[in-house]
Amino acid sequence: KNQVEQSPQSLIILEGKNCTLQCNYTVSPFSNLRWYKQDTGRGPVSLTIMTFSENTKSNGRYTATLDADTKQSSLHITASQLSDSASYICVVSPNNAGNNRKLIWGLGTSLAVNP
Amino acid sequence: DTGVSQDPRHKITKRGQNVTFRCDPISEHNRLYWYRQTLGQGPEFLTYFQNEAQLEKSRLLSDRFSAERPKGSFSTLEIQRTEQGDSAMYLCASSLGGGRDYGYTFGSGTRLTVV
């Protein structure tokens, strides 16, 4: 069964600290993996997208890594800010048909950044 | 173009009433998707359009739901005879087709509450 599991479920850190969120998936075949940030009551916003051939991708203070062999990905947030408080969702596309209807969504990690 | 726009942001309706939501995608995107998201869950695919053609509908989309994209630009999602179980965030997303789905962008959603 295609699944995406994220850990931890929730995380509290102090402003300025770094953190790493984990994503394990069993989706096969695999096309690409995306990390989204979702603020409460808002739509998801794309942070990074990686194909199976990419190992790392950065977007400002966000750096995502991908190990397609172990089917693991991580999202590292550097120098956290209060505005980073949100849910971070790992999403895997199981096909390369260019159709997003089959995206497999994780349940997200809820991050709270405290002053 | 400021991204994907959804209207209204919030809608409260009485059970049994009909509601209609609108989505304006990014102008050059030919694919448009509707999702439903309940609290603590990832978005669930409802339906998608390529230009004006509705190419797939999820089994989640009962007969009370209908979506249109008459000119291949904006789309509407109508729910007839709303039920309390319809309460959710309804998200619209758009993307380029032809395997170029990395420009997959969500709107901020419409929060529906059925009382």
Side-chain angles (χ1 to χ4, degrees):
Chain A
K1 180 180 179 182
N2 287 334
Q3 285 186 317
V4 176
E5 295 183 349
Q6 294 187 241
S7 62
Q9 184 175 5
S10 62
L11 182 63
I12 301 173
I13 62 174
L14 292 176
E15 185 179 11
K17 297 297 186 182
N18 304 336
C19 66
T20 300
L21 315 180
Q22 300 291 340
C23 173
N24 296 339
Y25 62 94
T26 59
V27 179
S28 182
F30 165 83
S31 175
N32 60 70
L33 184 146
R34 316 168 188 210
W35 283 94
Y36 283 93
K37 176 187 178 186
Q38 186 170 23
D39 293 308
T40 301
R42 310 282 299 194
V45 174
S46 180
L47 297 176
T48 64
I49 301 174
M50 290 183 291
T51 65
F52 63 88
S53 61
E54 295 177 291
N55 299 121
T56 185
K57 182 163 283 189
S58 292
N59 178 4
R61 295 180 295 103
Y62 302 103
T63 299
T65 65
L66 174 65
D67 186 332
D69 292 330
T70 61
K71 293 186 168 59
Q72 294 179 326
S73 176
S74 67
L75 180 69
H76 186 74
I77 303 174
T78 303
S80 61
Q81 300 175 358
L82 299 179
S83 59
D84 292 333
S85 296
S87 180
Y88 291 84
I89 309 173
C90 176
V91 185
V92 178
S93 176
N95 63 62
N96 198 30
N99 189 321
N100 291 287
R101 69 191 185 280
K102 296 187 185 299
L103 295 178
I104 310 298
W105 295 76
L107 294 181
T109 292
S110 177
L111 174 66
V113 180
N114 290 342
Chain B
D1 194 316
T2 57
V4 178
S5 299
Q6 291 189 246
D7 182 69
R9 288 295 314 281
H10 304 276
K11 178 71 176 179
I12 300 174
T13 190
K14 291 184 178 180
R15 188 175 54 184
Q17 297 295 305
N18 300 343
V19 294
T20 300
F21 310 141
R22 177 179 170 124
C23 171
D24 287 89
I26 292 174
S27 56
E28 61 265 30
H29 285 182
N30 57 0
R31 288 191 175 176
L32 185 148
Y33 304 79
W34 284 100
Y35 287 83
R36 180 173 66 190
Q37 186 177 24
T38 52
L39 194 63
Q41 301 295 317
E44 299 172 296
F45 168 77
L46 294 179
T47 187
Y48 93 98
F49 294 83
Q50 178 148 328
N51 300 313
E52 66 275 10
Q54 187 174 20
L55 297 187
E56 185 167 340
K57 293 171 61 173
S58 163
R59 288 172 296 177
L60 295 173
L61 217 63
S62 73
D63 291 343
R64 298 184 296 106
F65 288 71
S66 63
E68 294 182 343
R69 194 184 184 196
K71 297 182 180 179
S73 56
F74 74 92
S75 175
T76 58
L77 177 68
E78 180 183 17
I79 308 175
Q80 296 181 325
R81 305 180 303 283
T82 52
E83 302 173 354
Q84 287 187 322
D86 297 332
S87 296
M89 173 79 85
Y90 289 84
L91 293 165
C92 175
S94 70
S95 73
L96 292 169
R100 294 169 291 161
D101 277 329
Y102 293 175
Y104 189 61
T105 304
F106 280 92
S108 293
T110 293
R111 167 73 65 187
L112 173 66
T113 302
V114 181
V115 298

